Amino acid sequence: QTKHYSPSVSGYSLKNSGDSYVTYSMMSKSFPASHYVRNGSATYTVYYVKNQSTTIYYKYSNGNTAATSKTMTGNPNNTFSVTSPTITGYTPSKTSVSGKYGSASQTVYYYEKTYTVSFNANGGSGAPSSQTKSHTKTLTLSSTKPTRTGYDFKGWSTSSSATSASYSA
């Protein structure tokens, strides 16, 4: 069957996405009652709806812009889904945002990741208490040194089986 494609109209979407093209079988047909005259008509109406927009803002917890905002524009009868951008060292309040086009704007907040640094005296005693490190800030390790009979403390490592220290107290 021949397909007749629906025209694009700037700022509008097809109300029914199935109307992107029209075929003869989709049309309403009307033929006169006469057996001699076969002239008739066939029609199909395509409806459009005005596109609507929704903006997604990406901000740090302090309110500063974390990433460029995204404006989603489309048919208000349809939904969108957008994955939040990845920002190293930060966790988004929403990993994705979805909704209908034209819905209220949404804001995704990014919170700085924190890490717990804990100390293992590796058979000794007197290890310092755990410390919290923020991703963007330098952490000065505790100056507390553990003790272990027969050993000299050389520093800290990320593995209890390390043979050399990666960090000093």
Side-chain angles (χ1 to χ4, degrees):
Q1 280 191 16
T2 302
K3 295 179 182 178
H4 298 280
Y5 289 90
S6 299
S8 295
V9 179
S10 180
Y12 289 81
S13 296
L14 290 167
K15 184 175 183 180
N16 176 359
S17 62
D19 288 344
S20 61
Y21 62 84
V22 178
T23 64
Y24 182 74
S25 65
M26 296 166 67
M27 295 181 180
S28 298
K29 295 144 191 95
S30 175
F31 293 100
S34 167
H35 294 288
Y36 300 104
V37 178
R38 297 306 295 164
N39 290 333
S41 63
T43 60
Y44 190 88
T45 303
V46 175
Y47 294 95
Y48 291 84
V49 293
K50 186 163 181 54
N51 287 336
Q52 294 186 15
S53 299
T54 298
T55 302
I56 305 165
Y57 298 97
Y58 302 101
K59 298 188 176 282
Y60 291 114
S61 58
N62 65 5
N64 291 338
T65 299
T68 304
S69 62
K70 291 182 183 175
T71 299
M72 312 304 299
T73 302
N75 183 329
N77 297 315
N78 295 339
T79 59
F80 64 85
S81 182
V82 178
T83 301
S84 298
T86 300
I87 300 176
T88 302
Y90 290 83
T91 302
S93 58
K94 300 175 189 176
T95 55
S96 66
V97 176
S98 59
K100 285 193 170 225
Y101 292 100
S103 59
S105 65
Q106 297 188 47
T107 302
V108 175
Y109 289 98
Y110 285 82
Y111 299 96
E112 187 174 15
K113 289 182 180 178
T114 58
Y115 308 90
T116 300
V117 178
S118 49
F119 299 88
N120 177 347
N122 207 15
S125 60
S129 298
S130 296
Q131 292 179 266
T132 301
K133 184 203 181 306
S134 297
H135 185 81
T136 60
K137 297 186 178 54
T138 301
L139 174 68
T140 301
L141 295 179
S142 170
S143 59
T144 301
K145 295 179 182 180
T147 58
R148 183 174 174 187
T149 305
Y151 291 84
D152 290 326
F153 178 73
K154 298 292 183 186
W156 300 105
S157 182
T158 57
S159 168
S160 61
S161 61
T163 56
S164 62
S166 301
Y167 304 94
S168 58

